[in-house]
């Protein structure tokens, strides 16, 4: 049969047991901290209406949404000019549903739809796959997990601080000790734009400064000029390209000096001051916090503080990122519901932990003991041992083919099973087990209790 | 804004925190036992190629698969006779991918695709949603979770016994004490068909007997007649409608008497004997096992033993069901790979546990303690208590609005938070906490350690 028959569409992948067990370790750890911080789980369906999804992620986003063909004969509702209408109209004629593109929009839809039953602030976490019809590349998939936490319906800046404290703590728990929180505020862009004399072009500024990490300062300045900024305007904000002092007091002082005379700047500064004060109460050290005036976070919906978590020891990029949004639920008719959230980059956290050997050994679940009954008469006692060994928490298998010792040992070797218990005629009549240490190649006689103790020690 | 804007497509649903926490309890319990029995996790993508999915679930199944519209302008590859070709050809022109319909076919695809790297028997569990474009009804959704375990690449009947022992043990762990295993074998249908003089119509027999639970014996007999069976033929198998003896020895004896002279019946009988023998070693009691000659399991791919787990105390139907399949991976080019698997009905297990109050109290995670700082000066100590309380494993929140005691108490009430710690001017200066028991409405003064001990007791 052809290879084609057993392949996957491009951009999606199987998650093999060996890597999935490591991913589960990350997810279990995240969930434990989420719950400790009073975040409760939420899941929304993979399938949403296209009228919920479309027009919310920009024109490019609209194209990247996977659309689901209407059931039945989808041709029945085509208009006669179907072939000549716009691509979007054509899609609307054959598809009413699409796949979830992120977890933020479904959250907004959920909160607006159920606002009558929810108690605010609503604190939820959500860990589910999302789908994007992006061009597949190394490390970029069309189906990948997102992991978000949000506090919706609170305008207290304590929410920002709490989320950052949580992220910091869970990163420590995962072994990512050298994490760093980068902070900025959308008001800073507004203030910068005013300083440059282009008060309404904050979005442009945001979009261009967002590229700094990828393309460098020179290219960013060139892009600003292309967008119509004068040299004079660029000079007025040139301080943002200079090194930023590494302690919060000095950072706030710098901001006060540069943008304090601007209403948007003043508001941003005041927010950052409060957030720093709270973070200080959470015992976050100064060296773990960094104000970054060019941190932009692409999403249009952010209105207040924005933040990213990076690793100082790696150039892997942001491990988590988020911010405050004031109008997210408005598109679904629910006003005055400010929220703040953060999204974890599970893939990057996984890659970084793998590269730095941070997964605990016991996370990779493998069979520890294989029991081989050598003849049918040994089956009853072998199954008995199997049940008891499992009850003792030892991951145990039974090799169910009598008279196939060599096959059983080969299986143990291939599966990397450390111990094999052999039960033959002699063993049964003298009530012991022949226990083979597969790694050392040695074998000894013992009774069941000894075997269990030995395996528990290891 | 109109209601329509914030609604979901029909047949899909949000999973609210309160029910999701209960579902997570089931899934966590299942996973713990799966791993103890050496089953490792696998995930396959939601999106599979349509050529993988189509033609495998019958004609009705093909229609129920959600198809994904090709990206870009999907009209570009339409043939000129697009409007007059068959519905299936039309679909093929605009869609190349579809959503996962179950977890069995992706498993077969996975095993065939990666057979070179896998060690057999391959033991995996998989818990993921599947999608079916079914007509939505009460309790039937278009997106729902499946939970499967399989042992692929072993023809030992020990695999059947092990899976049944696992299911039985995990049901006990969930509190479903009165579970019952129903067993049958596809060879029985072959033997019955031969007895009836219609040796090649085993599939028809299987399909009709499958309806017995829903429609009753009389209707089944009427359906058999409609399908062309004579009264004489039906009389020859009438024993299957009689009560079956409730102990395995008598069941096997009955089978021997009725079908033992038929090769297929003999083979089925021999398989069942071995499975009973193994189950006996697993200490499954006779009263927990029941041979059921009309248990059919709709799926065409079963070739050997088939089984279902039901609750004796409820008519909710099957809580899990599965069987042996010999040719499943052959459609993907991998021959001689027999396997056995079972699928858990998560929705039904959830419903049954809910109806019988079987969820442990601590499964519903809620905030236990709310800390209210009454003025800004109380923030530092309040956050300090928040951090320490969380470290002690107490789910704690802080109400971040100074001077809003009443609002804070109302929040605690709505969220059903049992305890509120109030920190005002007086409390700070005298180093104590005013702790309010929200359920009893009483308040007392204590220090932090006392509060933690009190909450841990509860």
């Amino acid at each position: 049969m052809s290879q084609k028959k057993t392949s996957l569409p491009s951009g999606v992948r199987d998650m093999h047991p060996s890597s999935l067990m490591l991913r589960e370790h990350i997810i279990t750890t995240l969930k434990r901290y989420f719950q400790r911080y009073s975040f409760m789980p939420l899941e929304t369906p993979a399938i949403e209406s296209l009228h919920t999804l479309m027009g919310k992620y920009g024109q490019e986003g609209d194209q990247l949404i996977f659309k689901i063909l209407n059931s039945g004969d989808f041709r029945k509702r085509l208009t006669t000019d179907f072939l000549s209408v716009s691509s979007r109209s054509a899609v609307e004629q054959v598809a009413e549903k699409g796949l979830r593109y992120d977890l933020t929009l479904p959250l907004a839809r959920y909160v607006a739809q159920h606002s009558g039953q929810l108690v605010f602030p609503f604190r939820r976490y959500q860990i589910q796959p999302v789908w994007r019809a992006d061009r597949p590349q190394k490390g970029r998939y069309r189906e990948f997990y997102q992991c978000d936490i949000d506090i919706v319906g609170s305008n207290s800046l304590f929410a920002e601080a709490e989320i950052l404290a949580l992220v910091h703590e869970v990163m420590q728990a995962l072994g990512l000790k050298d994490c760093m929180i980068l902070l900025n505020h959308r008001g800073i862009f507004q203030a910068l734009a005013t300083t440059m004399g282009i008060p309404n072009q904050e979005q442009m500024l945001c979009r261009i400064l967002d590229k700094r990490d990828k393309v460098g300062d020179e290219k960013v300045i060139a892009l600003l000029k292309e967008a119509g900024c004068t040299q004079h305007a660029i000079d007025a904000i040139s301080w943002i390209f200079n090194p930023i002092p590494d302690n919060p007091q000095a950072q706030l002082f710098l901001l006060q000096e540069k943008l304090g005379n601007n209403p948007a700047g003043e508001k941003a500064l005041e927010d950052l001051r409060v957030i720093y004060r709270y973070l200080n109460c959470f015992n976050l050290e100064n060296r773990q916090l960094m104000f970054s005036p060019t941190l932009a976070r692409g999403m249009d919906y952010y209105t207040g503080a924005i933040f990213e978590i990076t690793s100082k020891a790696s150039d892997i990029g942001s491990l988590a990122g988020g911010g405050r949004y004031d109008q997210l639920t408005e598109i679904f008719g629910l006003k005055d519901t400010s929220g703040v959230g953060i999204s974890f980059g599970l893939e990057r956290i996984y890659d970084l932990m793998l590269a730095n050997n941070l997964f605990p050994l016991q996370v990779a679940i493998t069979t520890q003991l294989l029991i081989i009954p050598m003849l049918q008469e040994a089956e009853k006692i072998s199954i008995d041992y199997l049940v008891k060994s499992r009850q003792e928490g030892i991951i145990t298998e039974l090799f169910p083919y009598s008279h196939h010792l060599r096959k059983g040992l080969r299986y143990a070797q291939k599966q990397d099973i450390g111990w094999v218990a052999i039960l033959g005629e002699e063993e049964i009549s003298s009530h012991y087990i022949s226990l083979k240490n597969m790694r050392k190649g040695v074998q000894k006689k013992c009774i069941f209790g000894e075997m269990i103790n030995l395996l528990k020690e290891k």
Side-chain angles (χ1 to χ4, degrees), chain A residues 25-37:
Chain A
H25 167 70
I26 300 176
I27 289 172
T28 307
T29 307
L30 290 174
K31 280 186 184 173
R32 192 166 62 241
Y33 281 86
F34 294 166
Q35 292 175 2
R36 189 181 285 181
Y37 276 74

Side-chain angles (χ1 to χ4, degrees), chain A residues 349-361:
Chain A
I349 293 172
Y350 176 91
D351 289 345
L352 191 60
M353 287 181 67
L354 202 63
N356 290 287
N357 247 322
L358 294 175
F359 288 105
L361 269 183

